Amino acid sequence: MLHALFHAYAGTPVSHAVRDSSWIFAVTEMVHLMMLAVTGGALLIGGIGLTGAAFQFPDRAGAWRGLRGVAWWGLAGLLASGVLLVGVNPLKYYFHPAFRVKMTLLLLAVSAWAALDVLVARKPPAAPGLLAAGAVTVLVLWLGVAAGGRAIGLF
Amino acid sequence: MSFLDSWQALSDTPWATAIHESDLVFPALESVHVLALMLMAGTIAVADLRLLGLVLPGVPAAEVERRVTPTTWFGFAVMAATGGLLFASEAGDLRRNPAFLVKVCLLAAAGLNVLAFQILARPALERTPAGAAAPPAARVIAALSLAIWACVIVAGRAVAYFTHKGG
């Protein structure tokens, strides 16, 4: 089913436009990196803040909530630009091992992030130890996503 | 030897050549460089967005700036160290790469912007009561900072495109 989806995407005008243009891929890649910085920065500060290892916000859960919006918007930008980037050669990405690892880690990272959002929003908030463990999980998974992204370019 | 000629001499040194020709060291340095840039630009973005009143409304802007600055400097140190090694390994080609020269100018502009923040905005920001909007000078500098760092990322990525085209 996924193979059929990637195959169909390769035939769309969007995929043709990305493939045929000398600048769409480059510009999209730059937007992708900027979105990664925004999402990564927000998750890093909120996540490390939740662990208590740095930043020492008086209200750790409040700091996470205060960064949540920009982080999710950044993710939306990451996904939109990522879909465009894949359009340059969808089937190559489909069969690329590093891309598969990255997508798996992304799915896990976003799921863990959503679960952490629920834990932080609970009244009363979950135990600090649980929030810290959740934050570490989210950050490690995102580090894996970033490493997977680099690996796509290198291999 | 001109200043730009000395770049070629730098990239001809045995250690710079070794980095350039390594299948492992160059990509590893490049990956750490990108991650460090993300760390630094990400923390700067959060601090700037707070100055603009777009995130962390419950934490005073001066406090956010104070708390994230050490992480920003850590990211900068790693970025500068890896960037220096990457530069040395390709200095000969980079002297003709317009994207790299633009990136260096943008980094200088970012440095000047930090200086402007310290001189023009920080004193007023420290006096701003919790919950109040950041002073206009701080907001202008924050917007400039976001724009400059976005351009640094764009120029940094463009360096590779110009290099691959034989720039």
Side-chain angles (χ1 to χ4, degrees), chain A residues 114-128:
Chain A
L116 185 58
D117 263 358
V118 172
L119 288 176
V120 171
R122 251 182 16 193
K123 301 272 182 201

Side-chain angles (χ1 to χ4, degrees), chain B residues 77-139:
Chain B
V78 176
M79 191 191 74
T82 51
L85 291 171
L86 289 169
F87 166 72
S89 72
E90 294 198 312
D93 292 333
L94 289 174
R95 65 189 170 153
R96 290 186 298 270
N97 190 318
F100 177 74
L101 300 176
V102 167
K103 183 181 172 182
V104 170
C105 291
L106 287 166
L107 286 170
L112 288 175
N113 199 46
V114 171
L115 198 63
F117 177 81
Q118 297 296 339
I119 295 170
L120 302 174
R122 180 181 276 286
L125 187 66
E126 294 289 351
R127 292 192 300 270
T128 304
R139 280 182 277 150

